[in-house]
């Protein structure tokens, strides 16, 4: 995978191909791209040759990419593009997912992805389409069980608060609810399935801030700090 930090105002692939800047691309250290916290835009370049009959899907395993546009360039110079990102409604995505998923063409193509990574590492994966569907189905089932356990924990602690009149049960249920919010919105981005127009960056700023006083209140009530 080759990476180019956008030093000029490239907005379309024609601008990129029209200049001799291919030599400025630098190889990544691996299939997990590390950009840190940044407001820069990047070009990512790689080539895939699919000579099989399998349908392949490209996955940028990161929900916190606001916009990514994938250009596919054939050997004869034909250019197609597809968009994804959390600011793109799920209904407008080619493949409906909180991650950024793109179908890859059969044959040999040169791919350019234009994106703003913002934060978190970006694992870049290629899956056979059917295997990816099975993988996501298993993950959805596991996550559903996980959410069910957390809701049971919240309900149990609210019941104990009402019964025993101990405030730390209430604070613990609030803490678990905020942890659930962190998991859905800050860590994985699953909240997009419930609220497709959600701006994930707003949740990223709000939820961790709410976690801190909730945790502090719980600790103070458990330790009976005066």
């Amino acid at each position: 995978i080759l990476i180019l930090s956008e030093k000029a105002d490239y907005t379309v692939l024609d601008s990129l191909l029209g200049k001799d800047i291919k030599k400025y691309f630098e190889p990544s250290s691996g299939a997990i791209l590390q950009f840190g916290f940044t407001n820069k835009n990047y070009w990512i370049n790689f080539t895939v040759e699919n000579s099989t009959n399998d349908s392949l899907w490209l996955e940028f395993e990161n929900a916190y990419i606001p916009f990514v546009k994938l250009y596919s360039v054939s050997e004869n110079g034909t250019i197609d593009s597809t968009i994804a990102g959390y600011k793109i409604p799920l209904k407008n995505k080619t493949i409906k997912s909180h991650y950024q998923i793109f179908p890859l063409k059969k044959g040999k193509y040169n791919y350019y992805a234009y994106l703003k990574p913002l934060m978190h590492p970006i694992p870049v994966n290629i899956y056979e389409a059917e295997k990816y569907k099975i993988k996501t189905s298993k993950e959805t089932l596991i996550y559903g069980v996980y959410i069910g356990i957390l809701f049971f924990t919240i309900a149990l602690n609210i019941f104990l608060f009402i019964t025993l009149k101990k405030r730390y049960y209430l604070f613990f249920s609030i803490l678990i609810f905020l942890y659930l919010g962190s998991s859905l919105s800050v860590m994985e981005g699953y909240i997009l399935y419930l609220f497709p127009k959600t701006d994930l960056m707003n949740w990223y700023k709000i939820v961790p801030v709410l976690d801190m006083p909730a945790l502090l209140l719980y600790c103070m009530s458990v330790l009976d700090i005066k």
Side-chain angles (χ1 to χ4, degrees):
I1 302 175
L2 302 176
I3 300 174
L4 173 65
S5 173
E6 184 184 64
K7 297 180 175 63
D9 186 21
Y10 299 121
T11 54
V12 294
L13 188 61
D14 292 340
S15 302
L16 186 66
L17 294 179
K19 301 182 180 183
D20 183 23
I21 63 171
K22 187 85 178 227
K23 59 185 178 182
Y24 296 113
F25 277 85
E26 298 179 354
S28 66
S29 58
I32 299 178
L33 307 181
Q34 304 275 359
F35 297 101
F37 288 82
T38 179
N39 280 320
K40 289 183 179 180
N41 296 319
Y42 287 86
W43 285 99
I44 298 172
N45 173 236
F46 56 92
T47 301
V48 175
E49 182 175 0
N50 180 14
S51 58
T52 71
N53 292 322
D54 296 323
S55 296
L56 301 182
W57 285 2
L58 168 71
E59 176 193 57
F60 293 112
E61 194 180 344
N62 186 325
Y64 276 83
I65 302 176
F67 180 84
V68 53
K69 192 166 188 177
L70 182 72
Y71 297 91
S72 58
V73 184
S74 66
E75 293 181 300
N76 60 13
T78 303
I79 300 174
D80 289 321
S81 64
T82 312
I83 58 174
Y86 74 75
K87 289 192 174 181
I88 306 300
L90 286 174
K91 64 180 181 180
N92 294 337
K93 288 186 175 183
T94 304
I95 299 173
K96 279 63 177 174
S97 174
H98 60 295
Y99 291 143
Q100 322 317 324
I101 315 293
F102 299 92
L104 297 180
K105 298 178 179 292
K106 293 181 180 179
K108 185 176 181 180
Y109 282 83
N110 197 17
Y111 292 95
Y112 292 86
Y114 181 67
L115 73 161
K116 179 176 288 188
L118 290 182
M119 65 188 72
H120 300 317
I122 304 178
V124 180
N125 307 305
I126 294 178
Y127 294 94
E128 294 177 16
E130 292 304 318
K131 290 184 178 179
Y132 186 80
K133 292 176 183 177
I134 294 172
K135 168 182 172 291
T136 53
S137 297
K138 290 180 179 178
E139 290 176 351
T140 303
L141 178 62
I142 294 171
Y143 210 81
V145 173
Y146 163 72
I147 291 175
I149 293 173
L150 291 184
F151 274 122
F152 174 77
T153 304
I154 292 170
L156 176 61
N157 280 272
I158 291 176
F159 172 77
L160 292 174
F161 165 69
I162 295 173
T163 305
L164 302 177
K165 309 300 182 184
K166 299 291 185 180
R167 290 186 301 167
Y168 54 76
Y169 289 117
L170 176 63
F171 293 146
F172 186 65
S173 63
I174 295 173
L175 184 63
I176 293 298
F177 179 77
L178 291 174
Y179 178 77
L180 178 60
S182 296
S183 183
L184 286 172
S185 58
V186 177
M187 300 303 296
E188 298 294 340
Y190 281 107
I191 196 171
L192 291 173
Y193 296 112
L194 298 174
F195 307 104
K197 295 183 179 180
T198 299
D199 188 336
L200 291 181
M201 284 305 300
N202 288 337
W203 285 95
Y204 191 88
K205 296 173 184 176
I206 294 173
V207 175
V209 174
L210 297 176
D211 282 341
M212 293 302 102
L215 177 61
L216 182 61
L217 287 171
Y218 171 67
C219 292
M220 291 177 66
S221 62
V222 167
L223 299 174
D224 196 22
I225 297 175
K226 304 297 184 184

